[in-house]
Amino acid sequence: MKTALIAGVTGQDGSYLAELLLEKGYSVYGIIRRKSKADYGNAEHIKDKINFIYADMTDLVSLVNAMKVSQADEVYNLAAQSFVGTSWEQPIATANIDGFGVANMLEAIRTVKASARFYQASTSEMFGLVQEIPQTENTSFYPRSPYGVAKLYGHWITKNYRESYNLYACSGILFNHESERRGKEFVTRKITDAVARIKQGILNILELGNMDSKRDWGHAKDYVYAMWLMLQQEKPDDYVIATNETRSVREFVETAFNYVDIKIAWEGSGVDEIGRDAIAGRTIVKVNPKFFRPAEVEALLGNPAKAEKELGWKRKITFPELVRRMVGNDMALVANELNCRKL
Ligand code: GDD
């Protein structure tokens, strides 16, 4: 039986990865931060199957302990301050967790069990102001946020430890991946939650920032499978995981409303752009500049050809299916919320 240690196990990706590894018969350890009230987040439903260890990415001693206790064969670092917007408000915390935290984990592995295989959650945010389209493993990086800069350090320190100490250490350069478990601060879930609330009459308007922004959106479940594949190869390497399709935030909005039979008619431009319910006529989407970012990543499009060829990875869940699942899930959650209010 293999043993895995997941940092970030309570998050979207961590919970899907834990499910996958449990299915494969792994003994799963998960790193959790101590809070006054225990919070298992997205891993609540499988909490009895996971061995939790209290640790923190900024505390090397705690990571050394996590390695000693778990004796993990595979370590997945999915822990991060993962919201790009917050990284301007907390640039130093973001650097400590998303950057130096990776060095801490690598040191813990190197000193406790150097044979352990390591997965680092790198990100398409490192491409930022994109230097070529589509982006591949060979595209130059140009991060545009404190988050992207911190992640770039994590990416390079992983590569450096691979080359310096011959560790089996990989980075997955993952493009945006969403799901029913996505936090509501991210644009996709913010949209699907608002669509469900507008449809069920408890919200009037969805306010967004830059709707021209384009992303390559896949489903997190497909992406955690790629993480696992990366640690099953003969040699460690870095891989882009993406769908090779890009869509604007505006297109996401249209697709999501479509699933609840609302067609959007767009009017105006820039900060004055609004989206009306084409039948009812009322405004249901508008721009609020407070959601603009100090520096924006305008468009991301990833080419996963290397992962498809070398790992045999292929995404299964298409964009329409991703949006359908998210809207369906939020429609049910909001209906349930309304029922509870009536009781
Ligand atoms: N969050 C948010 N809220 N984003 C908005 C809004 C809004 O109201 N309106 C427009 N956007 C735009 C953002 O400006 C950005 O261009 C895009 O929607 C996507 O924003 P997010 O969903 O917050 O994700 P992200 O692309 O910044 O970062 C995600 O993907 C990265 C991979 O590329 C996160 O998951 C990161 O952790 C991940 O590394």
Side-chain angles (χ1 to χ4, degrees):
M1 188 204 267
K2 277 198 201 169
T3 300
L5 174 65
I6 305 175
V9 73
T10 59
Q12 169 188 265
D13 292 6
S15 62
Y16 281 120
L17 180 65
E19 283 171 6
L20 175 75
L21 297 179
L22 287 167
E23 265 167 40
K24 290 189 177 295
Y26 280 63
S27 166
V28 176
Y29 286 78
I31 286 179
I32 190 164
R33 271 175 302 154
R34 218 207 78 81
K35 291 182 186 158
S36 51
K37 188 168 178 291
D39 179 7
Y40 301 101
N42 283 309
E44 176 70 35
H45 63 298
I46 43 172
K47 68 173 188 294
D48 297 337
K49 298 184 183 143
I50 298 172
N51 306 293
F52 290 102
I53 302 174
Y54 285 110
D56 192 299
M57 295 304 291
T58 62
D59 179 354
L60 173 60
V61 174
S62 72
L63 298 180
V64 166
N65 181 57
M67 281 306 295
K68 281 188 180 159
V69 171
S70 67
Q71 288 297 321
D73 304 302
E74 295 175 11
V75 179
Y76 295 85
N77 178 29
L78 315 180
Q81 188 302 93
S82 65
F83 186 50
V84 173
T86 297
S87 73
W88 277 279
E89 286 153 26
Q90 299 186 12
I92 312 298
T94 304
N96 282 332
I97 299 162
D98 301 8
F100 298 141
V102 187
N104 285 334
M105 186 58 102
L106 286 161
E107 267 304 299
I109 291 172
R110 186 179 78 82
T111 51
V112 178
K113 188 173 174 185
S115 62
R117 296 185 166 203
F118 177 66
Y119 173 84
Q120 166 59 13
S122 285
T123 161
S124 49
E125 270 292 303
M126 301 185 309
F127 295 123
L129 189 63
V130 298
Q131 303 294 297
E132 66 176 336
I133 301 170
Q135 295 86 54
T136 72
E137 294 78 4
N138 300 319
T139 304
S140 303
F141 299 117
Y142 193 138
R144 293 270 281 172
S145 62
Y147 167 83
V149 174
K151 278 285 187 179
L152 194 50
Y153 174 86
H155 182 75
W156 279 107
I157 199 72
T158 300
K159 209 176 173 90
N160 179 261
Y161 268 55
R162 179 165 81 215
E163 292 171 3
S164 305
Y165 302 115
N166 209 18
L167 294 188
Y168 189 110
C170 304
S171 285
I173 306 174
L174 269 52
F175 282 62
N176 296 50
H177 45 288
E178 318 295 312
S179 75
E180 303 87 309
R181 298 182 191 170
R182 193 57 147 149
K184 290 182 189 170
E185 66 274 36
F186 298 94
V187 78
T188 55
R189 185 77 197 287
K190 179 177 172 180
I191 294 168
T192 59
D193 175 63
V195 164
R197 286 174 194 280
I198 290 170
K199 179 70 183 177
Q200 296 184 56
I202 54 168
L203 181 75
N204 293 324
I205 295 191
L206 162 63
E207 293 188 344
L208 291 169
N210 178 11
M211 284 196 281
D212 292 320
S213 170
K214 289 183 161 179
R215 289 292 182 273
D216 178 329
W217 279 298
H219 195 291
K221 208 167 177 183
D222 282 342
Y223 286 43
V224 300
Y225 184 58
M227 298 174 187
W228 177 76
L229 283 174
M230 281 180 222
L231 297 200
Q232 315 308 315
Q233 306 305 307
E234 248 173 56
K235 282 199 306 207
D237 206 345
D238 304 328
Y239 296 90
V240 159
I241 303 297
T243 70
N244 211 0
E245 291 172 18
T246 190
R247 289 179 176 83
S248 67
V249 170
R250 193 178 293 98
E251 284 172 272
F252 194 105
V253 171
E254 285 168 3
T255 311
F257 273 110
N258 238 329
Y259 281 114
V260 296
D261 300 320
I262 296 177
K263 193 173 160 15
I264 302 279
W266 298 105
E267 280 172 31
S269 62
V271 290
D272 297 321
E273 182 170 5
I274 56 163
R276 288 187 198 279
D277 177 329
I279 306 287
R282 67 191 178 93
T283 303
I284 50 176
V285 186
K286 72 175 204 178
V287 175
N288 185 338
K290 97 169 176 201
F291 297 111
F292 290 160
R293 293 177 177 173
E296 179 63 286
V297 173
E298 295 293 348
L300 291 172
L301 174 65
N303 180 351
K306 180 178 167 185
E308 290 180 355
K309 183 162 174 269
E310 295 182 14
L311 304 177
W313 177 80
K314 191 112 193 100
R315 73 95 186 250
K316 294 198 181 98
I317 302 169
T318 61
F319 177 80
E321 175 61 12
L322 165 72
V323 184
R324 193 193 64 76
R325 287 189 190 195
M326 290 180 72
V327 172
N329 176 63
D330 279 321
M331 284 294 283
L333 286 178
V334 170
N336 191 37
E337 191 183 310
L338 287 171
N339 279 337
C340 290
R341 277 193 213 175
K342 279 186 207 144
L343 292 176

